[in-house]
Amino acid sequence: MPRLVQITPDNVEAACRVSVRPEQEKFSSPVAWSLAEAYAQPDIAWPRLIVEGDDIVGFLMGFFDIVWDPASPDDRRSGLWRLNIAAGHQGRGYGRFAVRAVCAEARDRGHDRVFTTWEPGTDGPERFYLKLGFRPTGETSGGEIVGIRHLTD
């Protein structure tokens, strides 16, 4: 059964070695980049390793209570910021586990919806996110499609 583990000095190097398949690299950021963003924004970032037994099989980073649009400070959002499932561990349900874990954390924090974004394109993650209940909002963020999943579904 997979579990989430916090990033620590003991596992940070192993975390940075998590890499997706080469054709997926254009759709995700390296874990080291995500950890730098988490370090710079510790109040909103929620980085975790996905571990099965003794193996690190992936990385996720949630975000919680960000002001989405500075012109609308009451529009605060939470959701999945990053997801990297290691190339040799894909297709085993770890991505679903990661999305469910972020949804559970959001629910525990009192949220009734979560957001994520994805790069459009062939071989991109759109089908994965749609299958897990995310729906495009019609917005984009940095050229990526914004998706929402209601937690009451």
Side-chain angles (χ1 to χ4, degrees):
M1 174 97 176
R3 67 189 190 285
L4 296 183
V5 174
Q6 287 187 302
I7 311 295
T8 67
D10 294 330
N11 64 22
V12 69
E13 287 182 35
C16 290
R17 287 192 295 270
V18 172
S19 59
V20 298
R21 296 191 316 245
E23 68 271 17
Q24 296 169 326
E25 290 174 355
K26 64 183 174 184
F27 298 110
S28 67
S29 296
V31 172
W33 180 266
S34 297
L35 291 176
E37 288 181 311
Y39 178 83
Q41 300 176 78
D43 294 341
I44 63 166
W46 192 69
R48 297 292 187 269
L49 289 174
I50 305 163
V51 176
E52 175 86 47
D54 292 331
D55 295 329
I56 295 172
V57 299
F59 169 84
L60 71 81
M61 188 159 73
F63 65 92
F64 295 98
D65 296 313
I66 67 165
V67 174
W68 187 258
D69 177 0
S72 303
D74 292 335
D75 183 11
R76 301 183 76 81
R77 298 186 183 183
S78 298
L80 179 64
W81 191 349
R82 295 278 162 63
L83 179 59
N84 301 61
I85 303 300
H89 294 282
Q90 293 182 11
R92 299 180 188 169
Y94 298 124
R96 273 190 316 276
F97 169 81
V99 169
R100 288 181 182 142
V102 169
C103 289
E105 182 69 18
R107 199 177 285 114
D108 288 349
R109 293 177 184 223
H111 301 283
D112 62 358
R113 61 190 184 154
V114 292
F115 292 84
T116 196
T117 62
W118 61 83
E119 286 275 344
T122 306
D123 298 326
E126 182 171 49
R127 278 191 9 221
F128 168 78
Y129 288 121
L130 293 176
K131 198 160 126 178
L132 291 176
F134 285 94
R135 297 294 170 249
T137 64
E139 302 167 284
T140 58
S141 177
E144 295 186 350
I145 296 167
V146 177
I148 185 172
R149 177 179 174 188
H150 294 278
L151 299 178
T152 54
D153 296 348

